[in-house]
Amino acid sequence: GYKYLLPAGELHDLSADRSEAHDLAATQPKRAAAMRAALIAFFNGVQASHAGADYPGSDFTPTNEWKPLQLSP
């Protein structure tokens, strides 16, 4: 399976390169872009959940401040 690293933007095929020595982002830009978009969507969902979106009508209050994901363009 593949692993995409944020914010570095590295793509690794763990089935062929368990040591993550070879960044495939440049040779597989479509896969890298799709995985980046999926991870950003996931983190945006986590942020919404942290703000209480998953708990409508409750008195849920986060116990700590949300720290936004720092990404380069």
Side-chain angles (χ1 to χ4, degrees), residues 1-70:
Y2 287 87
K3 175 181 179 180
Y4 186 82
L5 299 173
L6 284 174
E10 296 176 10
L11 176 67
H12 299 280
D13 180 357
L14 299 180
S15 62
D17 179 22
R18 289 190 183 272
S19 65
E20 301 177 23
H22 306 287
D23 180 5
L24 303 175
T27 59
Q28 297 187 33
K30 287 183 182 178
R31 183 186 307 270
M35 292 184 77
R36 176 185 170 91
L39 273 173
I40 290 171
F42 168 77
F43 283 118
N44 288 340
V46 170
Q47 181 178 10
S49 179
H50 185 270
D54 293 337
Y55 314 98
S58 77
D59 60 353
F60 172 80
T61 304
T63 59
N64 57 354
E65 181 182 341
W66 177 258
K67 295 182 178 152
L69 184 63
Q70 299 296 317

